[in-house]
Amino acid sequence: MTRKLDDWLTGYLDYTDNSEAPLSYHVWTGISCIAGALQRKVWINWPLPIYPNQFIILVGPSGHARKNDAIQTGKAFLRGLNIPTIADDNTPESIIQQLAKECEGSYLYEGTARFHTSATAFAPELATFTGNKNSRFLVYLTDWYDSADKWERRTKHEGRDEITGLCFNLLGATAPDWLPYILTEEATGGGFTSRCIFIVENDKGKIIADPNLNKPSSALKERLTHDIEAIQMMIGEFTFDPEGYER
């Protein structure tokens, strides 16, 4: 599938230029979209496989930094691909059931069928997604980030949940004053927070008096949609070229 843009992320930033959300929010939302589209079908060996999933959290004051604007723009591109997405208000148990029953896929690589369970969670209010100091769920998320070949959970009454080829991608947002209510002491440092990329802004990136005066290009949106579909079709191992090693 021939790409229409030289670089999807650059095109995405052009598309979101008429937005009050800070540039950094759009950059990392775009990165999350690419990670979500790639799923667990590409990797780099370092020496164990590293998959493209990210835990990206946009941090900024409520009502000022336009966190949700950035997330909703990116979310629309992934939803157009029919990629499994996780709603922002769920119990951990319902997410596990959704992963096990609705998110499994497969692809053919070097003549062998490979199975994966890939999904992206959008959490414009991280506190709604994780709950208040929900240590059990935070431990689950910490485990899921590492993309285990097989993740299992056994319960006394419900039996066993088994997820094959997990790849969990998270794009969330929160106000800074909510973080103490979300995180447990165990989740900081070497736990959940060490797996997150926090993108912090104190205010909106710019003021747009009337966004209807300069609407995003429909032609650019079509090219972005086409190319992220091409990105979704990529399969196999990635390697660094010589210039990459020099940098």
Side-chain angles (χ1 to χ4, degrees):
M1 190 173 184
T2 303
R3 304 266 288 271
K4 295 186 176 182
L5 296 168
D6 293 332
D7 179 76
W8 192 87
L9 185 57
T10 299
Y12 182 77
L13 296 181
D14 288 341
Y15 179 77
T16 58
D17 184 63
N18 188 45
S19 165
E20 293 191 330
L23 176 62
S24 64
Y25 284 179
H26 288 306
V27 169
W28 287 96
T29 296
I31 290 171
S32 183
C33 288
I34 293 171
L38 289 171
Q39 302 178 292
R40 203 183 195 261
K41 298 183 294 183
V42 304
W43 61 89
I44 184 169
N45 287 317
W46 199 263
L48 298 176
I50 297 176
Y51 298 100
N53 61 302
Q54 305 281 329
F55 282 10
I56 296 169
I57 310 297
L58 311 182
V59 183
S62 297
H64 292 282
R66 301 295 188 263
K67 304 181 293 296
N68 191 52
D69 289 358
I71 289 177
Q72 295 304 325
T73 302
K75 184 177 181 179
F77 281 100
L78 279 196
R79 282 203 160 170
L81 299 178
N82 292 319
I83 286 176
T85 57
I86 308 296
D88 60 316
D89 189 1
N90 265 305
T91 64
E93 290 73 21
S94 67
I95 293 174
I96 292 168
Q97 290 298 311
Q98 182 179 353
L99 290 170
K101 295 179 179 180
E102 302 176 18
C103 301
E104 188 173 85
S106 64
Y107 62 94
L108 195 66
Y109 181 68
E110 295 183 341
T112 302
R114 297 193 176 192
F115 297 90
H116 66 102
T117 304
S118 302
T120 292
F122 293 98
E125 293 293 343
L126 188 63
T128 302
F129 182 70
T130 62
N132 181 12
K133 294 188 181 296
N134 189 338
S135 58
R136 186 178 183 187
F137 189 25
L138 292 173
V139 169
Y140 285 166
L141 289 171
T142 303
D143 283 347
W144 295 350
Y145 176 86
D146 295 332
S147 300
D149 292 336
K150 184 177 290 186
W151 187 85
E152 293 181 306
R153 183 189 74 143
R154 295 179 183 268
T155 63
K156 180 178 180 180
H157 299 291
E158 299 175 13
R160 184 179 71 173
D161 294 308
E162 182 176 298
I163 300 172
T164 301
L166 181 59
C167 188
F168 194 85
N169 189 52
L170 171 64
L171 176 62
T174 186
D177 50 347
W178 272 101
L179 285 171
Y181 298 96
I182 296 171
L183 300 174
T184 62
E185 183 177 350
E186 294 78 12
T188 60
F192 173 73
T193 60
S194 68
R195 288 158 173 79
C196 296
I197 300 172
F198 292 94
I199 311 302
V200 182
E201 296 285 355
N202 292 319
D203 208 341
K204 64 185 73 173
K206 63 177 77 171
I207 297 175
I208 305 292
D210 185 352
N212 295 309
L213 295 177
N214 186 23
K215 293 183 178 181
S217 166
S218 58
L220 178 55
K221 181 179 181 180
E222 185 276 329
R223 292 194 293 271
L224 287 166
T225 300
H226 174 278
D227 280 12
I228 203 164
E229 290 175 355
I231 289 170
Q232 184 189 20
M233 296 172 65
M234 299 176 75
I235 292 172
E237 180 183 354
F238 276 48
T239 58
F240 286 101
D241 60 22
E243 182 182 0
Y245 278 109
E246 290 175 4
R247 294 183 178 181

